[in-house]
Amino acid sequence: MTAILETTVLKGAHVIDPANGIDRITDIMIHDGRIAAVGDALDAENASIIDLKGKYVTPGWIDMHVHAYGTLGFADPDTVGVYHGVTSFVEAGGPGIGTLDEFFALMTDLETDLYVGPFIRPLGLLGLNFIEGDVRTLGDVPITRWVDTAKQHKDRIRYIKCNAMGDYGPGTLNVTKGLAQILGVPLYMHIGEFQLQTPDPVLAYEAFRIAEKGDMITHIYHGNLGQIIDENGKIMPVVKDALERGVIFDLGFGGYNFSWDVAEKAFAQGIVPHTISSDLQQFNVVRPAKSLANVLSIMMHLGMPLKQIIEAVTINSAKAISLTDRAGDLSVGKPADVTVFEIEEGQFELSDCFTQTRTANKRFVPKMTFKNGKRFDVDMDLGQNEANWFLQIAEDHIPEAGAALSDRQRAFLGSLGGALSNVDWELSSAERLDIPKALELQALFHRVREENDLPLREALRAVYDSFVDSKFTMQIGLFLMRIERPLALSRMAEMAGKRPHMAA
């Protein structure tokens, strides 16, 4: 990261700002973290000049579907944010109403603007080793708590998410739609059945019927059950009807949700995503999704024009999630959120989620990001570092961060360990996701925290920093289930009883 001077001029780049009709070589002036001017031959006394000849400059990219928190999240979400050319992103369903307080307590110190689209299940998304199905796993829908939370955090909640998959039936989609209407936010629905391949009805099509203007459907090019094309490769009528009503189609690449075959057939028939998102999550950051830039390269190879691609990750996304007051364009006075990239020529293999590949001759290569005027040099490798996406419990040592715990945090760990000694759980509870056990551990954690009068963030960090070397954040009940019970009790006792012996 490199701090810039008070005034910076980005010189000679090809600026594409669809919202303002700019598509030419020109300059951009940034002053005090905001866009000061866009025009030719800009200069200012004592300004820092950055020569960007041969590069493209656009409004900061918005990724409206990532997993920064929870069972699918990263240790350092900024690695797939400002260090990937993205200035704003949305956590797509990691927390639900039962864990939003944990999310807001933890996700406060990122450089990238992080918003949230909570999931209808109170715990939020549960991970890839959970099979969506039994409607009882969705738990309760506490309307009063939802309304109060949405009012308190209205600046960060952008939509409500549900999955059109499993044997839940369309009622769950209607319940989520009703909640979205109560809260005054869009409905955001996952389609594509990649777990149970024989549900009836196919909920993807129910999602298209339920969605109204401004609601969003993601994974439109998936290759699983409930595709947007029929067996003859033709667009399903229900998809066309939704498009005509003003439903927003989001790409949502992910790890299971993009098929070259479906994309090519649908694109040829005019079904083009209004917004492009990556659905980055842990393992798919290695392949096939890799980054939002990689997903944009795939869309470019599919035939989407450059200007339309930029529109999809800037002003279209800003409009879809109501961020036009702060993001999506380079208007004077707006926060200086800027993405700088190159279009590299060569031979590049681009894979879908089903091992099918295409060879492209161009790709997006982000170079730098400006967030509120602060410069970040892009490093695509940071996101793919194993420590960033693979959570491992430190079984044979106390993590370095444990040395910095306060006396109050240590006392809390002692109390928590004592309370946990009265509860039984096994690692298999995490592997098969025993939801009642996760809720029991979560409730116990919060009860002990309140008894110790410890701020939520400090209590959560006390547990994480005692067991993991990297700063992963996960629903606390699910996290505790991932720790072997004897290790959890002995480690908490050690943390509470004395300053730990740090591993070499």
Side-chain angles (χ1 to χ4, degrees):
M1 183 180 71
T2 304
I4 65 169
L5 299 177
E6 184 178 14
T7 301
T8 299
V9 178
L10 309 181
K11 299 284 290 185
H14 186 149
V15 178
I16 303 177
D17 179 8
N20 287 308
I22 301 173
D23 187 0
R24 61 189 176 88
I25 294 175
T26 191
D27 301 341
I28 298 174
M29 183 182 293
I30 298 171
H31 181 72
D32 282 347
R34 294 186 175 272
I35 302 296
V38 179
D40 299 338
L42 295 180
D43 200 0
E45 187 176 355
N46 298 322
S48 172
I49 306 297
I50 301 179
D51 183 1
L52 297 179
K53 184 178 180 181
K55 297 178 174 56
Y56 290 89
V57 168
T58 68
W61 293 349
I62 301 169
D63 193 341
M64 58 189 289
H65 186 155
V66 300
H67 295 282
Y69 163 88
T71 57
L72 303 176
F74 295 96
D76 182 2
D78 278 328
T79 60
V80 297
V82 290
Y83 292 106
H84 267 193
V86 174
T87 56
S88 301
F89 47 24
V90 183
E91 165 56 55
I97 190 62
T99 51
L100 268 173
D101 56 346
E102 299 175 23
F103 172 85
F104 288 126
L106 289 166
M107 311 303 284
T108 59
D109 52 2
L110 298 179
E111 299 286 355
T112 317
D113 278 345
L114 176 62
Y115 301 93
V116 64
F119 198 73
I120 188 63
R121 180 185 295 109
L123 272 176
L125 289 173
L126 299 178
L128 298 178
N129 56 334
F130 172 75
I131 303 298
E132 297 280 1
D134 180 6
V135 70
R136 294 178 64 86
T137 65
L138 293 177
D140 299 325
V141 184
I143 298 299
T144 299
R145 187 174 178 187
W146 270 111
V147 170
D148 292 344
T149 300
K151 181 178 180 180
Q152 182 181 0
H153 297 284
K154 62 182 180 180
D155 194 53
R156 296 185 69 184
I157 296 177
R158 299 292 97 188
Y159 53 72
I160 299 296
K161 185 182 179 185
C162 63
N163 285 347
M165 57 188 290
D167 289 330
Y168 296 133
T172 60
L173 307 183
N174 283 302
V175 167
T176 312
K177 173 61 180 174
L179 176 61
Q181 290 174 322
I182 290 171
L183 302 182
V185 297
L187 174 63
Y188 187 86
M189 289 186 282
H190 163 117
I191 62 167
E193 179 61 75
F194 65 91
Q195 294 179 331
L196 304 173
Q197 290 293 309
T198 57
D200 185 23
V202 176
L203 288 188
Y205 306 131
E206 297 301 316
F208 282 107
R209 294 186 182 99
I210 290 168
E212 297 178 342
K213 181 178 181 179
D215 290 332
M216 294 170 275
I217 292 180
T218 191
H219 309 317
I220 63 165
Y221 292 154
H222 75 84
N224 307 301
L225 184 67
Q227 297 173 17
I228 67 171
I229 57 175
D230 63 19
E231 59 185 11
N232 296 315
K234 301 299 184 182
I235 299 297
M236 299 286 287
V238 70
V239 175
K240 295 180 180 179
D241 291 344
L243 182 63
E244 291 176 0
R245 288 199 307 277
V247 175
I248 297 169
F249 291 177
D250 178 50
L251 183 69
F253 189 94
Y256 299 90
N257 300 305
F258 181 90
S259 160
W260 272 119
D261 181 60
V262 174
E264 289 164 346
K265 291 175 180 176
F267 189 89
Q269 297 173 68
I271 301 300
V272 181
H274 302 96
T275 59
I276 300 174
S277 65
S278 66
D279 187 15
L280 279 172
Q281 51 185 271
Q282 293 185 354
F283 297 95
N284 78 27
V285 77
V286 176
R287 73 175 312 278
K290 297 183 180 179
S291 67
L292 181 60
N294 180 64
V295 176
L296 300 187
S297 300
I298 286 170
M299 293 308 299
M300 182 165 57
H301 182 68
L302 188 61
M304 198 169 179
L306 176 58
K307 183 179 178 181
Q308 191 175 3
I309 291 173
I310 299 306
E311 190 173 26
V313 291
T314 58
I315 191 60
N316 282 7
S317 290
K319 289 178 178 178
I321 57 177
S322 300
L323 289 182
T324 53
D325 62 327
R326 71 199 77 170
D329 64 82
L330 299 174
S331 298
V332 172
K334 283 282 188 71
D337 289 3
V338 176
T339 300
V340 180
F341 65 95
E342 295 177 348
I343 298 294
E344 182 179 0
E345 296 186 357
Q347 297 291 304
F348 311 106
E349 183 179 275
L350 301 176
S351 177
D352 67 4
C353 300
F354 304 93
T355 70
Q356 297 299 310
T357 62
R358 302 290 186 270
T359 300
N361 56 20
K362 295 180 181 179
R363 68 176 178 180
F364 282 77
V365 181
K367 290 298 182 179
M368 65 183 74
T369 310
F370 293 86
K371 180 61 189 175
N372 294 317
K374 183 186 292 187
R375 174 179 166 178
F376 298 84
D377 292 323
V378 168
D379 186 342
M380 304 299 286
D381 293 334
L382 290 176
Q384 296 189 353
N385 187 313
E386 183 176 290
N388 189 45
W389 55 263
F390 185 35
L391 184 151
Q392 289 184 292
I393 302 298
E395 297 180 354
D396 59 354
H397 66 279
I398 294 173
E400 183 178 351
L405 295 184
S406 68
D407 290 342
R408 291 184 66 195
Q409 287 175 302
R410 292 174 183 277
F412 162 72
L413 289 172
S415 299
L416 180 60
L420 287 171
S421 67
N422 299 313
V423 179
D424 291 323
W425 77 92
E426 299 177 350
L427 284 182
S428 59
S429 298
E431 293 168 357
R432 65 173 181 267
L433 280 181
D434 183 341
I435 294 178
K437 181 60 65 175
L439 292 172
E440 179 184 1
L441 294 174
Q442 179 194 35
L444 185 148
F445 168 90
H446 285 286
R447 175 176 61 79
V448 173
R449 182 193 70 81
E450 291 173 358
E451 291 172 352
N452 282 259
D453 193 28
L454 187 66
L456 179 55
R457 179 183 173 89
E458 293 183 34
L460 291 166
R461 286 259 54 101
V463 175
Y464 301 139
D465 291 350
S466 297
F467 293 96
V468 290
D469 293 304
S470 300
K471 287 193 173 184
F472 284 93
T473 54
M474 183 185 297
Q475 302 95 321
I476 193 63
L478 298 176
F479 181 79
L480 288 170
M481 280 203 312
R482 291 197 175 195
I483 309 171
E484 290 191 28
R485 185 174 182 274
L487 174 62
L489 300 183
S490 63
R491 181 70 55 80
M492 289 181 186
E494 181 178 3
M495 297 297 292
K498 59 181 180 180
R499 296 194 67 81
H501 173 71
M502 303 307 299

